[in-house]
Amino acid sequence: MFKIVEKRILNDSMTLMAVEAPYIAKKAKAGQFIILRVNEFGERIPLTVADYDREKGTVTIIYQKVGKTTLMLDQLNEGDAILDFIGPLGKATELEGYKNVAVVGGGAGCAIAYPQAKALHGMGAKVDMIAGFRSKDIIILEEEMKAVSDRLIITTDDGSNGNKGFVTDALRKCIEEGAKYDLVIAIGPLVMMRAICNLTKEYNIKTLISMNPIMIDGTGMCGGCRLTVGGKTKFACVDGPDFDGHEVDFDEAIKRSKTYFDLEKEATREYNCRLMEGAKNA
Amino acid sequence: MPNMSPVKTPMPEQEPNVRNKNFEEVALGYTDEMAAEEAKRCLNCKNKPCVSGCPVGVRIPEFIQRVAEGDMEGAYQIIKTTNSLPAVCGRVCPQESQCEQKCVRGIKGEPVGIGRLERYVADWHMKHGAPEEFDVKPNGHKVAVIGAGPAGLTCAGDLAAMGYSVTVYEALHTAGGVLMYGIPQFRLPKEIVQKEIDALKEKGVKIKTDMVMGKVLSVDELFEMGFEAVFIGTGAGLPNFMNIPGEGLIGTYSANEFLTRVNLMKAYLDEYDTPIIRPKNVAVVGGGNVAMDAARTAKRLGAENVYIIYRRAEEQMPARKEEIHHAKEEGIIFKLLCNPIAIHGDDDGRVKAIECVEMELGEPDASGRRRPIAKEGSNFEIPVDSVVMAIGNSPNPLIRSTTEGLEANSHGCIVVDDTTMATTREGVYAAGDAVSGAATVILAMGGGKEAARSIDKYIQSKHSK
């Protein structure tokens, strides 16, 4: 069992948890992920390591309440424990040698993009951070992102923060205004990452993306997380989760991400009903 | 008087058309009377050819004599001296190519049902046996075992019996390895595996789950933590694909994923959240035991048509005869001398058909089996909504890629000395599928046993210097 030592609500749909996992905290690096299982009947889901504290022995995750498993996780509070917490899995992001980087995050993806920006900033690289949200009231980690970037641009789909647009628009503007990036890191929904990759291809800028497909064990055993990268089959859990975005077959990945879409929707609906029943009876 | 019947006492089974709709065990086991009758078929030969056919050297005629005498606990204790997982082996060992193949009774009829008797004795003990008492003096030495599958559990059990303090590290949330995630409930009930694991824990073996070794701790760190030797039994957990078009379509599974979702993650039970596609028409590609397991599992999930697609003929199938027989009885359709060349999907990227080509057998190849050759222009499609690839596994590379000085061959198998199971690195031993590539439970157990003996020798000699 893995004790939750901190729970912080970031916005209506996103929550941060610091979990006691000393072995993982000792080894984790930016870009790696963990797999957790809330209880005996639950699914195993992968979540990126958002931060870690080697001294305290904690690993921080940020999750978005999108389905039954994350809703179940969200029922737990400080002092409660998660049944299984496994990691650090996947390869760490290779950040050595880059001098001028744009880190692009979309929604919950900002939680994963932030540690990358932080690591790059710490290594002395110039970092532009572009963060996109649906609207102003769900912006997360604004202060943190500001602290680790030379320039922070936040866009909203609805323009509620005064900067309407998509992250692609903002990135294009930066490039056209003369930013000479030697690397773009894009983390967020698949369609957003695909749009960024299409853009950076035009300018021939190397682009790293972080994939988060369906997986079970995270050790290469089930092969469920396979992707086509540069025409070859790769397993996101052991070969990734970072890949050269210009090589990834996004169409396939987007289709595969919908494998259990109907089953998930139904499970989430049922679980929400039960939560509401519980609230009514309480 | 020995029972001179030329055939084995039959073991009751669930009716094929009943069992292919449930996950209960197929074979129901002997009653006391059946076991006594079968035990009397053993001639108790002096030279015991059967024992030489057993990778762990179970004292077969001795335990069978006890069964004939009605001393089941005595029989169990004899088996237990050499086999730490008898209830498992009695169910999944390929006895027909091991102990039973050497049985003298097999010359003029069927061999003694050694596997069935082993299962009977182990099950009897689980039901009626007294809890075992362990009176082993700790010897003060620590050994780490990586992987809680058949090889690791056997090695751990044997070392614990010698007085070692053993810690087993397992990557998944449940110990048991392939016995838990791979072999289906209807062939090997998970409760039985769990009981065997609990018995090991009572012997003092510590099992740490959720530990992906090579990632969370390295072999070097284990030595720093005071372990004097490390055993690697990480199995063959890297699924092979055919590299044909369409393997990325929704509904295409590796057998590992399909079986793990059902066995370990219990997708067939409503109370579990694990999603799985419940296909109507399924193609399982491959001809081994794993292919049979996947096909029979798909049938139980409600599939109407389940096809086994295999590129050679039935005689060349690596699966046990009994598994092929059970699969056929349950209505699995065998498409032999067929090879898939592509999987086709619909606009949403879901599997809709598998395209195959007919094969014929040519000259024998390197494996001694006749090489299948495609018949030109014989392409045909089978409409399916799911495809399961059961064409083998390679050793999982996590440990060897993170451990210095650990040599592996071109197939990724860890190189060991055949007799001692010592790897190219001092103090590190390995066995099971991580060494052999995908093989059987009992061979993995045999290797784990050998490694335990070598580890004991290694540690003792280090301290007597």
Side-chain angles (χ1 to χ4, degrees), chain B residues 207-276:
Chain B
I207 299 183
K208 305 233 182 254
T209 52
D210 293 343
M211 295 290 276
V212 180
M213 303 306 276
K215 285 286 183 187
V216 72
L217 282 176
S218 65
V219 168
D220 295 86
E221 283 169 303
L222 289 174
F223 283 115
E224 284 163 26
M225 286 160 71
F227 292 104
E228 293 179 54
V230 174
F231 173 79
I232 299 173
T234 45
L238 188 72
N240 298 338
F241 287 91
M242 290 188 77
N243 297 316
I244 56 173
E247 287 184 314
L249 291 166
I250 298 175
T252 306
Y253 288 106
S254 73
N256 275 0
E257 181 181 3
F258 187 69
L259 292 171
T260 300
R261 283 186 182 275
V262 178
N263 297 324
L264 178 74
M265 303 295 295
K266 312 232 182 292
Y268 68 98
L269 296 175
D270 280 347
E271 59 267 39
Y272 282 79
D273 289 338
T274 314
I276 193 159

Side-chain angles (χ1 to χ4, degrees), chain B residues 20 282 284 291-292 294-300 304-309 323-324 326-335:
Chain B
N20 65 11
V282 194
V284 176
M292 301 304 138
R296 296 168 71 193
T297 297
K299 190 82 189 174
R300 283 162 173 77
E304 284 164 22
N305 297 300
V306 182
Y307 306 93
I308 290 264
I309 299 182
E323 302 305 327
I324 296 170
H326 276 153
K328 282 187 176 168
E329 274 188 338
E330 289 170 15
I332 309 298
I333 304 156
F334 283 64
K335 293 273 184 192

Side-chain angles (χ1 to χ4, degrees), chain A residues 2 23-24 26-27 32 37 40-44 68 72 83-91 214 216-217 219-224 226 233 235 238 252 255-256 258-260 263, chain B residues 171-173 181 210-212 215-218 221 225 237-239 241 243 247-250 252-254 256-257 260-261 265 271-277 347-350 396 398:
Chain A
F2 299 82
Y23 284 114
I24 305 175
K26 220 173 123 189
K27 287 285 174 71
Q32 289 189 299
R37 191 171 70 130
E40 170 58 29
F41 304 103
E43 272 200 86
R44 293 168 63 106
K68 181 175 175 185
M72 251 163 43
L83 181 60
D84 299 294
F85 199 82
I86 303 135
L89 298 167
K91 291 184 176 153
I214 294 165
I216 306 178
D217 57 290
T219 66
M221 190 270 277
C222 82
R226 63 194 183 278
T233 299
F235 292 174
V238 285
E252 181 188 82
K255 281 176 182 166
R256 280 184 70 80
K258 294 180 181 144
T259 301
Y260 303 113
L263 289 170
Chain B
L172 289 169
H173 57 254
Y181 76 74
D210 293 343
M211 295 290 276
V212 180
K215 285 286 183 187
V216 72
L217 282 176
S218 65
E221 283 169 303
M225 286 160 71
L238 188 72
F241 287 91
N243 297 316
E247 287 184 314
L249 291 166
I250 298 175
T252 306
Y253 288 106
S254 73
N256 275 0
E257 181 181 3
T260 300
R261 283 186 182 275
M265 303 295 295
E271 59 267 39
Y272 282 79
D273 289 338
T274 314
I276 193 159
I277 295 170
D347 293 343
D348 295 330
R350 290 182 185 269
N396 192 291
L398 268 185

Side-chain angles (χ1 to χ4, degrees), chain A residues 195-264:
Chain A
I196 292 286
C197 288
N198 286 340
L199 171 68
T200 55
K201 239 183 237 171
E202 282 176 40
Y203 297 96
N204 203 18
I205 306 170
K206 184 176 178 185
T207 304
L208 275 185
I209 57 161
S210 176
M211 298 298 279
N212 186 19
I214 294 165
M215 55 176 78
I216 306 178
D217 57 290
T219 66
M221 190 270 277
C222 82
C225 65
R226 63 194 183 278
L227 315 157
T228 306
V229 181
K232 293 204 177 87
T233 299
K234 296 277 177 191
F235 292 174
C237 68
V238 285
D239 299 321
D242 293 339
F243 292 100
D244 179 340
H246 295 162
E247 299 273 310
V248 170
D249 181 343
F250 277 104
D251 292 345
E252 181 188 82
I254 288 169
K255 281 176 182 166
R256 280 184 70 80
S257 73
K258 294 180 181 144
T259 301
Y260 303 113
F261 189 70
D262 293 339
L263 289 170
E264 280 161 4

